Amino acid sequence: MASDVDTAPLVGRAELVRTVRSALLGDATHGQTAAVFLTGESGVGKTRLLGEIGDRLRDQGAVVLTGSCLDIGDASPLHPLLQALRRYDADLSASRARSSSAVRGLLQMVADETAGPDGAGALLERVSRGLHLIAEGRPLVLILDDLQWVDRSTRQLLLYLLAGLGDLQLSVLAAVRAESLQGAHPLRRVLTELRRLRTVRVLDLAPLGRTETEELAAAVVGRTLSGDAADQVWQRSGGNPFVIEELARDLRDGRDGLSETLREIFLDRVDALPQHAHAVVHAVAAGVEPVQHWLLAEVLRLPEDELIDAARAAVAHRLLVGADDGYRLRHRLVAEVLAHELLPAERSGLHRRYAEALTSAPAELHQARLAHHWRLAGDPARALPAAVAAAQEAERLGGYAEAHRHWSAALQLAADSGPLAVDRVELLGNAAEAAHHCGEHARALALLEELATLQGGEPTCALHIRRARYLAAAGRSALAEEEYQRALKAADCSPRDRAAAAARLAELLLHLGRYADAGERAREALALAENVEGSATEVVLASSALGFSDAFLEDPDAGLAVMRDALDTAERAGQPEDVACAYLHLAELLTGPLNILEEGVVVARRGAERVAELGLGRTWGTRLLAIAINGLFRVGQWAEAEKVVAAALRHRPSGADAVELLLARCRLSVGYGDIEAAGRDLDAVATLLAGGGARHVIPLLTLRSGLAMWEGRHDVARMAVQRGLTEIRSDDVMILSALVWHGLRAEAEAHASRTVEVDPTAVRRLRDVADRMARKSAGAARPVRSVVEGFLALCAAEVSRLDGSDPELWATSVAEWDRRNHPYPAAYSRLRQAEALLARRSRLATAGKLLREAYEVAQGLGAVPLTSEIRELAGRARVSLEEREPTGATRGAPTQASDDELAALTAREREVLALVAEGLTNKEIGQRLFISERTIGVHVSHIFDKLQVRTRVQASAIQLRNHRG
C-alpha cells in the first residue's frame, strides 16, 4: 500500500529494525542462510521497513537485491529475482564491472533456460552459483515485497536456498500481506516448511500504539495535535501507519470527511469477504464495541457454525479482532465507510434488532447501548428512558463525562420525542451538574441559564449557589463571590442553603487568599450546619477553610489537625467533591504556608489518584497534580515535576483547573529559560482569568515579571509588579512577598544593565510594602513568617544592589533558603553574594566556591538562564567552575574511569539523551515526552555542557557506552 512515506519518519520500529538486522547478518555465519518474514495487514508499514532495513544493510557492506512479486500468478517465473537483478545492475558503478558481468550473465542464463532432462533442480543450482558470483564473498540479502503473490519458481528457489543447498551466505527478508494467506494459499505451506529451520523467523508486524500514533501524526501535520484530534486519529486508524498518515494529511490540509483513497481501500477489503463474513462486519460496524458473540448471533440470526466461520474469515482478513469480551473492528474507519453503503432502512433495521436483543436480555451497563440503538432505530420514545438510566448508571460509577454525554442525549431525545411527559427542568439540572463535575464549565453555565429561563421569575437561592459554584470552577471568582452574597440575601434561603452558601463562600475566599474573611465565613457556616441534618458537605468545606485560615494566621498545628479531621469526615461521608476538596486544601497547606513540601507532594499525588477513582480526575485531580508540581519545583525535583505535568495534561482540563496547571508548568518553563513556552502559557492564563482573584493573578504577574527579566525587559517586569500591587487585595503575604521581591529585583537588574532607568518611586513603594509585610507577617503563624522572612531577606539584598551590593545581606539570604531546602533561590543568592564579593575584590576564594556551588545546583536543575549568568560572571572573574584535583594526586597517573559517565545528568536529561541516541530529532523527542521542542533544545544544550561534547554523535556514543549489555 503506497504512500508518500519519505515525508514521514519511521516511528515505533527501532527495536524491530535492530532485531531484523541482527537476524539477517549478525546471526548468520559464512556458508549459512537466514531469513525473516514480516507479516501484517495492508498499510502497517512492511514496504517502508524493507526499504529502511535494506539501506542499513547496504551501509554494512552487504549486497542487497530488492524485488516485488506481482499479482499475476505463475505467468512470470522468478519475476522478483529478475527484477532485483536488473535494479542492481542499473545501480552498479563502472568500478564494479565484475559484478555487473555476473548479473548480466545470470539474467541471460535465465532467459536462455529451456526445459531439459535435469529439470528445475539444475536451474536452481545455476541460479545459486550465479548469486555466489555476484556476492563476491560479501553477504547477500534478497529482499522481496508482496510475497503473498510469489510465483511457484520463486517459492522453490527460496526453499532451495534457505535449506542451505546453495553455496553462499544468503539472507532473505520478505513481506507478506497477512489477510491474503487464506485457505489453501501455497505460501502458507512454504512458510510452514521454513519455520522448521533454526535461522528462519516469522515476525508479525503489529499496529502502532497510542503514543507512536500521535508521534507519527504530529510529524505529518507539522505540530503537536490537540487532544481531540489525537483521539480521533487513534480511534479511526487503529494504529495503522498508512491510515494515520492519510488522516494526518487531511488534518494538515483542512479536508473534512474521509479521503477517497481510504474509502476505496477498505471497501475493496470488505467486498473480498465471503457473504456471511460481509454481514458480520456490517453488523459489528453498526454495534457498540465490543459486540458479544451471543448478541451478534441474535442480530444476524445465522446458524452457529456459519456464524463462527464467518467471524473467523473476518478476523483472518484483518477487519475484525476477536477477544473474550467480543468482536471489534480493527479500524473504526470501516464503520465510517460502511455507514454509507447501507440503505437507511437497512441501518435502522440493524439497530432495531440490536435494541430488541438487548431488551430481551437485560444486564448491567446495557442502558447506554439501548439508548444508542433505539435512537438510531428511529424510536426516541424508547431511547429516552434508556438514556436517563445510562446517565444515572454512569454517575453511580463516577463516570461524569459519560453521564454528561447521556444527559445531553436525553435532552435532545426529549426535544425529538414529541408530546411525551418529560420534566425538562430536571433533565437540564442533571445535565448541568454532570457538565460541572467533568470540567465542561462553559457548558454547565449555559445549561444553567436555560434552566433559569425555563423556571422564570426571580432566581432562587439554590440557583444562585449553583451558578456561583460553576463560575468559581470556571475561574470567574469575582462573579462567583457576588452570586454567593446574593444567595445569602435571598428571601427563600433555607437554613441548609444558607449553610451551604456560607461554606462554599469560605472556600472561595480561601482560594482568593483572603484568609481572615474565609475563617469568619467558615465559623458562620459551621454554626449554621449544627442545626441542619445531614450537612456533612457543609461541615467538610467549612472545616477545611477554617483549618487553613487558622494554620496560616494563628496556630499551624491546630489548623492542620482540623484539616485532617475534615478529610476523615469526607471519606466517611463518601461524597466525591467533599473528599476532593479536603485533599486539595490539606495539600495546599502542607506545600504552601507550612512548607512541609515532601509530605505535601505525597498528599497531593495520593489525593489525585483518589479523586480519579471517584470520577473527578479532570477537575480536582488536575488541581492536586498542579500542587504536586509546585512542591516538586520548590524542592528542586524539576524533572519529576515535568512528568507530573505530562500526566495532568492528559486530563485536558479547562477553566480554573487549567489555570492552576498552566501556572505550574510556566514556573518550570521560566526556570528552564523556555521563554516561548512560558509566554504561551501566561497568555493562555490571562485569557482564562475572567475576574480571577489574587490566588491566580498575583502568581501570573510574578511569573510575567520573572520572564521579562530573563528577556532583559526590565520595564515590562516593573509594570507587571506594579499592577499586582495596585489591583489585588489578599491576606497571603507569601505570594505578595514573592511579587515584591520580583519588583525590587527588576529595579536592581535595570540598575545593573543600565538599559532602563531605576524608578525611585517604584523602589520606595516596594520598600513600604515590604515593611508592611514584615509587620503583617509578625502576627502570622511561625511557618508563614519563616517563608516571608526568606523573601524579605531577598528584598533587602536586592535593595543593596542599587548602591553597591552587600555580600553579608546575600549570605543571610543563602542561609534562609538553605534552611528551607529551596535550592533555586539559594543558588541565585550564592550568585549574587559571589558577585558582591568580586565587586569588592575581597574573599576571592569564597566567591569562587559560591559560584561553583551555585553552578552545580543550577546545572542539576536545568536552570539555563541562571547557569548562563553564573558562567558569564565566572568568565569575567576568571573563576574555574570545575573542582580542582587534590594536590596529592600523581601527575600522569592513569585515572579510574567513572562507573557512570552520566552521573551528572538529571533524570529528565537522561531520558532526553536516550532518545537522542535513538536518532530522534528535538521535535520528535518533544512529542514523545509531551514538552516543547525549545525545552528539548535547552536540555540537549545542558547535556552537551555536562558531558563536555559538541555533537549529538559524541553524546550518543557516551550513552551507548554506559548502557552496553
Side-chain angles (χ1 to χ4, degrees), residues 749-772:
E749 296 289 351
H751 174 74
S753 67
R754 295 182 172 83
T755 56
V756 178
E757 290 293 327
V758 174
D759 185 342
T761 304
V763 173
R764 191 162 48 250
R765 184 185 185 190
L766 288 164
R767 295 182 71 172
D768 288 344
V769 175
D771 290 340
R772 286 202 304 273

Side-chain angles (χ1 to χ4, degrees), residues 391-439:
Q392 293 168 340
E393 202 168 51
E395 286 180 343
R396 179 173 57 81
L397 297 173
Y400 291 106
E402 292 78 8
H404 173 228
R405 189 169 63 249
H406 294 315
W407 285 121
S408 298
L411 282 169
Q412 185 59 50
L413 289 165
D416 297 341
S417 58
L420 283 179
V422 177
D423 187 346
R424 188 167 179 81
V425 169
E426 184 180 353
L427 288 181
L428 282 167
N430 287 324
E433 194 67 9
H436 165 68
H437 282 306
C438 73

